[in-house]
Each structure stands twice: as structure tokens, then as C-alpha cells.
């Protein structure tokens, strides 16, 4: 396991009250920098631009119009990078920002340029921090510009860099046979080898207020990863040091592998 992509959702970076979870961001910076120091190549895919932007602008409810959301994302994205730059900087780690749009799927030239950027950053020991470019990717033009969600984006990034493992951190221990927040009797799948239509039904609808994905997008991402002969682990990001345990081979969360 040399090359690892880690995806964090808004629910990992922020408290449910919309404030920043500094403990988590701090631990994330510590863990990822330590992994890199161990000789791993680490890439972070991070949501949170809108959540952090709402926090910065004192907005409590996500506004309805797309221009308003994009303005918030523009503020939030630079705030988010500023946070990462500071927290990783405390451990001497440099980060680089990649804001992607769908053209990296549609245009081979763009795709190549992005791959080269990733490779060069990793060669220089820099941790790439990836997000969708929300100011360009408009919901209305979904099929043209938007990846759809960062779960999908993290699967595409894993493909671009031929990652050995995608670790997706969420607010839940893994994928269950029912939504455990509404059904306490739901049980965790520890290993999934193929994404069947039955599993997709169990994924239910969307998740948290600021997150956009829910389990459906995580299963689609897992499907993409499996198609590329990759592996994905879905685990709880409450304590980011869980990443050390995952890398050490402990059975944690839901492991998607063929
Ligand atoms: P993130 O913001 O971390 O990307 P989301 O909030 O979008 O995460 O998705 C995680 C949520 O999905 C869980 O908190 C849970 O409420 C919901 N969920 C729905 N169905 C399931 C399921 N079968 N297994 C686990 N979680 C589920």
C-alpha cells in the first residue's frame, strides 16, 4: 500500500452545529503527514468548501440559488485551503490545491495535465488537496461540468493516480444493510466484492445536511474503484488516527475489493 487517496466529507470536518472541528482537521494533518514521512504517497480529497464558507460568512442555512452557493464556495474553498496549509504546516508539510472539473474526464489533454501535476507534486513530497471547482461546475449543467459529488471525484482521482487504496471517511462506521441512524438493528458489511442492485437499494437516500452524498454515491464510487481493480475502505472519520489502523491491515469499516 504505497499510494493512498483519503476522502473526507463535510461531516468529518465540521460539527453538526456548523462550526469547524479543529481536533479532526489537526489529527488529519498529523496522520497524513506522518504517513508521508513513512514513505507513502498521500492525496487528500476534501469537501467542505460550502460548509466552511457558511461558517466564515455566518450563514446558518445553505442558500437556495446557485450563484449564492458558488459565492459561498469561493470564500469557503480559500478558507479551507488556508486551514489545511496552516495545520499541515505545523508538521512541516506542504500542500497543493487542485480544483477539478469534468473536463479531466472528457478531454485527454486535460486529463494528462492533471496526472502530470499529481505525479510532480507527489515526487516533491507535497500532499495534493483536491476538490471540485464549484465556481465552474454548475448544478444546472450537471452532465457538462460537474462530477456530481466528491465521492465520485475521489474514485476518479484514485483512477488517475492508480491509487492502491481509497479511504473514504464519513460519519458512519461503514456500509450497513439499512440506515443505522434510523434502524439501530442494522448490521455492518465488513467485505463487499461487487456492487449489486440489492446493495444499491440498501444505500437509501442522502445523508447529512451539509454533505451531499449519502451512501448511494459511496457505493457508486466503490463500483468505479472495483472496475479499476482498486480497493476502497469506508470508515468512520471521527478519529482520523483510524487511518493508521487501516494501513496496518486491521479489519475496519467496509472493505470493497474484488
Ligand atoms: P459524508 O458527508 O461523510 O460524505 P453523508 O452524510 O453524505 O456522508 O453519508 C453518510 C450517511 O448516510 C450516514 O450518516 C447515514 O445516515 C446515511 N446512510 C443511509 N443508508 C446507509 C447505510 N445503508 N449504511 C450506512 N449509512 C447509511
Amino acid at each position: 500500500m504505497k499510494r493512498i487517496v483519503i476522502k473526507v466529507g463535510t461531516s468529518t470536518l465540521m460539527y453538526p452545529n456548523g462550526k469547524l472541528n479543529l481536533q479532526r482537521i489537526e489529527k488529519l494533518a498529523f496522520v497524513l503527514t506522518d504517513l508521508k514521512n513513512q514513505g507513502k504517497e498521500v492525496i487528500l480529497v476534501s469537501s467542505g468548501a460550502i460548509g466552511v464558507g457558511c461558517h466564515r460568512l455566518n450563514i446558518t442555512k445553505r442558500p437556495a440559488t446557485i450563484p449564492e452557493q458558488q459565492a459561498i464556495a469561493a470564500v469557503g474553498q480559500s478558507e479551507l485551503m488556508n486551514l489545511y496549509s496552516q495545520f499541515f504546516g505545523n508538521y512541516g508539510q506542504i500542500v497543493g490545491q487542485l480544483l477539478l472539473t469534468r473536463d479531466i474526464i472528457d478531454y485527454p489533454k486535460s486529463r494528462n495535465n492533471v496526472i502530470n501535476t499529481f505525479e510532480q507534486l507527489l515526487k516533491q513530497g507535497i500532499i495534493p488537496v483536491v476538490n471540485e471547482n464549484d465556481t465552474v461546475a454548475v448544478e444546472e449543467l450537471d452532465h457538462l461540468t460537474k462530477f456530481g459529488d466528491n465521492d465520485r471525484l475521489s474514485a476518479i482521482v484514485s483512477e488517475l493516480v492508480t491509487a492502491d487504496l481509497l479511504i473514504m471517511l464519513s460519519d458512519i462506521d461503514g456500509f450497513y444493510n439499512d440506515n443505522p441512524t434510523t434502524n439501530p438493528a442494522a448490521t455492518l458489511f465488513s467485505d463487499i466484492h461487487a456492487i449489486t442492485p440489492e446493495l444499491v437499494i440498501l444505500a437509501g437516500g442522502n445523508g447529512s445536511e451539509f454533505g451531499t452524498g449519502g451512501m448511494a454515491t459511496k457505493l457508486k464510487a466503490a463500483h468505479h474503484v472495483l472496475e479499476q481493480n482498486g480497493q476502497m475502505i469506508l470508515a468512520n472519520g471521527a478519529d482520523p488516527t483510524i487511518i493508521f489502523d487501516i494501513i496496518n491491515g486491521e479489519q475496519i469499516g467496509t472493505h470493497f475489493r474484488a
Side-chain angles (χ1 to χ4, degrees), residues 16-36:
N17 65 6
K19 302 266 190 223
L20 295 172
N21 191 327
L22 297 173
Q23 277 190 60
R24 294 236 183 102
I25 302 172
E26 165 68 25
K27 278 192 188 166
L28 198 61
F30 156 70
V31 172
L32 299 196
T33 303
D34 195 74
L35 284 180
K36 200 225 72 189

Side-chain angles (χ1 to χ4, degrees), residues 35-110:
L35 284 180
K36 200 225 72 189
N37 291 350
Q38 291 174 28
K40 310 278 188 210
E41 293 174 318
V42 180
I43 292 157
L44 176 62
V45 176
S46 174
S47 308
I50 292 195
V52 172
C54 284
H55 175 254
R56 184 70 183 87
L57 296 167
N58 271 323
I59 294 167
T60 48
K61 216 100 205 108
R62 193 179 172 135
T65 74
I66 289 168
E68 283 174 305
Q69 288 181 22
Q70 289 181 302
I72 291 168
V75 171
Q77 181 61 34
S78 63
E79 278 294 308
L80 186 63
M81 277 317 288
N82 186 26
L83 279 168
Y84 281 134
S85 192
Q86 279 185 39
F87 279 88
F88 279 87
N90 287 339
Y91 297 101
Q93 178 61 48
I94 300 176
V95 294
Q97 172 182 254
L98 284 87
L99 294 179
L100 304 182
T101 46
R102 264 195 68 122
D103 57 350
I104 60 152
I105 302 175
D106 300 329
Y107 299 100
K109 180 85 184 130
S110 304

Side-chain angles (χ1 to χ4, degrees), residues 1-5 35-36 38-43 122 161-165 247:
M1 291 288 166
K2 167 115 175 129
R3 195 168 272 200
I4 301 149
V5 175
L35 284 180
K36 200 225 72 189
Q38 291 174 28
K40 310 278 188 210
E41 293 174 318
V42 180
I43 292 157
L122 293 172
V161 302
T162 49
D164 298 304
L165 178 65
I247 304 289

Side-chain angles (χ1 to χ4, degrees), residues 7 11 170-171 174-176 178-179 181 202-203 207-208 213-215 218:
K7 187 262 169 180
S11 60
S170 185
D171 61 351
F175 180 59
Y176 288 77
D178 195 6
N179 187 346
T181 53
L202 298 179
S208 57
M215 283 299 128
K218 287 172 180 54

